Amino acid sequence: MAERERETVVVGDSGRGGGGTIVAVIAVIALLVVLFLVFGRGLIGGGETKEIKADVDISAPSGGGSGS
């Protein structure tokens, strides 16, 4: 038997997908800008510190018995 040589040609679609990648990159950049505007404004300028007063009264009732 004679050996036959097989040749396989794979054709890629290199022209497709470039537009989708560009749209994805622009969407990620837009999301980062929105998140920065919502949450990160005080990160650059330092922002003002806020004082939180947490005065809590934790006095227990005086009755030193069991649960009844």
Side-chain angles (χ1 to χ4, degrees), residues 1-65:
M1 283 191 168
E3 289 187 32
R4 295 185 182 172
E5 196 173 311
R6 281 188 119 176
E7 183 176 333
T8 305
V9 178
V10 178
V11 178
D13 225 0
S14 63
R16 267 179 97 189
T21 304
I22 292 172
V23 170
V25 168
I26 291 173
V28 168
I29 291 172
L31 178 66
L32 290 174
V33 168
V34 168
L35 288 175
F36 174 74
L37 291 176
V38 172
F39 297 110
R41 283 188 161 169
L43 295 177
I44 291 179
E48 297 180 9
T49 56
K50 296 179 182 177
E51 183 178 338
I52 299 174
K53 295 186 179 191
D55 296 330
V56 180
D57 183 21
I58 54 169
S59 58
S62 60

